[in-house]
Amino acid sequence: MERRTIAPRPDWQRTVEDQGLIYPLTRYPDGSLRPYWDESAYYVFGLPEVEALEEVVEELHRMCLAAAGHIVAENRFADLGITDPRVARLVAEAWHRRAELPSLYGRFDLRYDGTGPAKLLEYNADTPTSLVEAASPQWFWMEERFPGADQWNSLHERLVDAWRKQAALLPPGSPLYFAHSSADELGEDLMTVAYLKETAEQAGLETDWISMEEIGWDRLSRRFVDLRLRFIRSVFKLYPWEWLTTDRFADHVLDTLDNGGGTGTTLWIEPAWKMLLSNKALLAILWELYPDHPNLLPAHLDGPRELTATGWVAKPLLGREGAGVTVHEPGTEPVLRDDPCCYQQLAPLPDFDGNRVVLGAWVVEDESAGLGIRESSGLVTDEYARFLPHVIL
């Protein structure tokens, strides 16, 4: 793994916008705009290195599924902050019937510097973003800048194939809706959903478009409907389950949930069991089940324990884009947060030319599918991170 600098292509911003990345710039607190898509540098990997990382990702995915099964079997929902018995029951039911429920993709965030084993920082298997830039613009960048080279990137083909294989699990006779929240001001959620809608259409599925705020509730039929009062039988949502199960329509979501076998009226994708994999408590449970695994970091739910000697990071169970994360250096007095957290060993992101880098390794269904790289200036990868392309040479 190596970072190399390169001159950006002329008119790069328009190029990546035409390829689906409508948010190539990030606005900073001082009002300035700086590149989010950053092709002034790129990362180089060797093929054996990528093949080894692919094996790590698929092993971590298998371990996470085993941990999800453990949570359900041992009724450890409270450790995830799931305290509503009805939600816990439906999540468990979704887990047991997962073969009947469409499930698409997820993203592992890994610490890796090219020398030691990759370490799992977290797993988002419910609403992962940075998909568009990983699947499309960086592939076209490689073809233009390094024709004949390769890239850890089979995202598009695997997504289309996943929709095609899982089409039989969708309710017949109605479109698959794609929904995001219109509260997203950057356009990232919008474009992620638009891209996934395109992959579903390429797989031959009938699709439609709706925002979460436009989904209506028909009191007479007790069903969710679109703006034309058509029943919504299935919907892919870029809207986290912890919101679906707590907002003002939560009771309707739970009452009408199609959890496999056509038992309800609305099938939501990702399915409810993905709540088990997008919660930071998973990190501590993995460490319990696989202590000293080379690709895991020590993590606990009840406090930093022995991590005071090495330093630790406190992560809210449901935080996103670094929100609420606190970093504690070695020797710091143990501090317990008021909000439920996972306390994970501090593993500073590797520094490449003053840039802190994290690997976002994608899984589609159960297979490794691609890589997206983000850089940040500090230890926490936040909303000001930059996306850099990569190539296998």
Side-chain angles (χ1 to χ4, degrees), residues 61 64-65 68 80 123-125 273-279 282:
H61 180 66
C64 288
L65 293 179
L80 279 65
Y123 190 18
N124 186 343
W273 67 263
K274 285 295 191 82
M275 293 179 74
L276 303 171
L277 301 186
S278 288
N279 189 300
L282 175 71

Side-chain angles (χ1 to χ4, degrees), residues 57-115:
V57 167
E58 294 189 358
E59 180 179 6
L60 286 172
H61 180 66
R62 289 191 295 269
M63 291 161 56
C64 288
L65 293 179
H70 167 81
I71 293 167
V72 172
E74 300 299 324
N75 193 26
R76 297 188 62 179
F77 294 99
D79 287 336
L80 279 65
I82 301 175
T83 56
D84 185 333
R86 182 169 54 158
V87 174
R89 177 179 60 80
L90 289 172
V91 171
E93 180 183 73
W95 171 255
H96 290 306
R97 306 187 75 162
R98 62 192 180 278
E100 304 170 38
L101 296 169
S103 174
L104 193 62
Y105 73 139
R107 191 195 73 227
F108 285 100
D109 285 348
L110 305 175
R111 185 209 181 277
Y112 179 70
D113 62 6
T115 58

Side-chain angles (χ1 to χ4, degrees), residues 280-299:
K280 305 300 188 300
L282 175 71
L283 302 171
I285 293 171
L286 282 170
W287 187 250
E288 290 179 26
L289 299 177
Y290 304 97
D292 299 319
H293 190 283
N295 302 119
L296 297 179
L297 293 167

